Every structure is written in C-alpha cells, then in structure tokens.
Amino acid sequence: MKVLVSVKRAVDYNVRIQVKPDGSGVVTEGVKHSMNPFDEIAMEEAVRLKEKGKLTEIIAITVGGAKSEETLRSALAFGADRAIHIKEEGEIQPLTAAKALAAAFKAEGAQLFIAGKQAIDDDANQTGQMIASLLDLPQATFASKVELDGNKAVVTREVDAGLETLEVDLPAIITADLRLNEPRYLKLPDIMKAKKKPIDVKSFASLGVTPGAGLKTTKTSAPPKRSKGIVVKTVDELVAALKAKGLV
C-alpha cells in the first residue's frame, strides 16, 4: 500500500511572529523555517504504519519554492522512501495546493493521503478537506489514532464533544491532530542517508493545474496589546468592574 504524506515549510513554531510595518504580511525573510509540526506528526504516523507492515512505500510531497527541498529532506530522514517537489515560488493558496496534491495523488495511484490538520502559518485547516472533495474520496480529519485493516482505515478523531471513531474505505484522506503521536528525534545517520534519496521535481503545468488567487489579503495587523489587569477584593467590586466594561 502506497501513501502520500504532505509536508509544508512554515515559520518555525518557536519564532515570535512580527507583522511587517506596512501591514502587507508577516516577516519571513531571515526567519527560521521548519516542517509544519502537524505534518511532522503525519509523517511519523506513516513511518509507524510502515514499521507495522501496513504500508509498502511512503512518498513525501510538498508545494513550494526552492527552499522547500529542506523540508523534503527532513521527511526523507524521518523514513520516507522518496519525495515529490511541486516547485512554485510565491504565495500558494490552499485550493491551488489542494489541486496540485490531488493530481499527484491520482498520478501515483496511492491508497492513502496523510497530512497535518492545518499549517501553523495560516491556520486555514482547508487543504485536506479540499483534496477529499476534489477526488471524491472519504476523509477522516483531526485523527488521534489510525489503524489500517485491509482496504479500510479505522480512525479515532477529536471532536468538540470528545472522541469519534470512523471506518472509511481506502483510498482515503486523513489529517493528523496533535495527540496522534510524538515525532521521533532525527538521527545524524538518517539525515545523511536522506541526502541520497530521490526527489522528483514537478510543476503545476505538468500536473495540469492552473495556479489562481481566489483570496486577497488586504491587511495584516498584530493583535491589540492586553490592558493591565486590576485586583478586586470582593465580589461586589468584581461585578462593578465587569459592568463598567459592559461585560454583564
């Protein structure tokens, strides 16, 4: 069974995001980037499933510019067998990425697509669902447990009311939530081996995808600074303070 795992290059989660002075976006130049944390979890799950004998080949895939190759090398170090780089510079919106990933999934004839539930740069939480819609395939989002049984996948997913278990036929799309697993620490020998693994470079044109910008960001601004708190000694003071702010 062949699986595609989407990995995105995003600003590292330890970086304090700064808004550009002109409000046109956030500062990305000279800022540390790494694999999107939810995609790390997706990759780790694919490797674990292969170690259990449930998968035969793991293909890491990304959509992005030349620097995204670093992310693919990290995925190969995790245990991916090969990688596909859909190379495109500039902003790539979720629907465009979904169309490219869906086309690659179809071309590879894979039975499973695993991705992080969202990327921490835009928090859109759209791409996995869009891929499922474009391919007319079942989906199981926000997965906290994945089990493969023949041509079916049993997925425990996190919902507002607790946990929900779904059984979906393969091929299917699964998006990984935070508690699915804890990604392994990459060892130097695995990082060195990853440098020799193949990366297949593709373009939107080769996949029959026309990039488009359906959304336009008009302004980016930092959240307002929190006002200084006050200390109240009694419940009456608390109620009075809440009333003064129009909260009760």
Side-chain angles (χ1 to χ4, degrees):
M1 185 183 298
K2 186 187 298 186
V3 60
L4 252 69
V5 183
S6 175
V7 292
K8 183 179 181 181
R9 180 177 183 265
V11 175
D12 189 86
Y13 67 93
N14 285 311
V15 173
R16 186 178 179 85
I17 300 297
Q18 301 291 333
V19 176
K20 292 180 180 178
D22 62 0
S24 62
V26 298
V27 177
T28 57
E29 293 299 323
V31 172
K32 181 183 178 182
H33 285 65
S34 59
M35 187 189 300
N36 175 47
F38 289 105
D39 292 342
E40 280 191 356
I41 294 170
M43 179 56 64
E44 174 67 25
E45 190 64 20
V47 173
R48 292 188 185 189
L49 289 171
K50 186 180 179 184
E51 291 171 345
K52 293 177 183 177
K54 301 294 184 179
L55 300 174
T56 56
E57 186 179 21
I58 300 172
I59 306 168
I61 186 168
T62 194
V63 183
K67 292 181 180 178
S68 294
E69 183 178 332
E70 301 170 5
T71 306
L72 287 176
R73 292 296 175 192
S74 295
L76 292 167
F78 264 102
D81 298 292
R82 57 188 176 93
I84 298 173
H85 186 180
I86 304 172
K87 192 176 268 189
E88 180 74 17
E89 301 292 344
E91 180 189 6
I92 302 166
Q93 295 189 0
L95 182 56
T96 302
K99 288 179 178 179
L101 293 170
F105 182 83
K106 192 173 181 179
E108 286 290 337
Q111 289 76 44
L112 187 62
F113 188 102
I114 307 179
K117 69 171 184 177
Q118 64 195 69
I120 62 171
D121 51 5
D122 57 15
D123 278 334
N125 180 23
Q126 296 176 341
T127 306
Q129 293 90 327
M130 286 176 171
I131 294 170
S133 179
L134 290 166
L135 295 173
D136 194 22
L137 293 178
Q139 60 179 302
T141 56
F142 315 135
S144 60
K145 185 178 181 181
V146 177
E147 296 176 308
L148 298 182
D149 183 13
N151 64 344
K152 295 182 181 295
V154 179
V155 180
T156 302
R157 59 190 301 267
E158 298 191 0
V159 295
D160 291 342
L163 299 176
E164 179 184 57
T165 301
L166 299 178
E167 182 180 272
V168 295
D169 294 327
L170 299 180
I173 313 299
I174 296 174
T175 66
D177 212 327
L178 184 64
R179 279 162 286 279
L180 180 58
N181 60 55
E182 184 175 343
R184 67 194 63 194
Y185 178 78
L186 296 182
K187 299 177 182 178
L188 183 58
D190 295 328
I191 295 173
M192 298 306 293
K193 289 178 185 177
K195 294 182 178 180
K196 298 180 180 179
K197 292 184 179 180
I199 294 179
D200 183 13
V201 179
K202 296 183 180 295
S203 64
F204 282 156
S206 68
L207 294 170
V209 175
T210 302
L215 300 173
K216 181 180 178 181
T217 301
T218 57
K219 184 180 179 182
T220 302
S221 59
K225 292 183 179 180
R226 295 180 62 181
S227 59
K228 186 178 180 180
I230 62 172
V231 177
V232 295
K233 296 180 180 180
T234 66
V235 174
D236 291 339
E237 286 186 26
L238 174 60
V239 173
L242 292 174
K243 285 183 176 180
K245 291 182 176 292
L247 299 175
V248 294

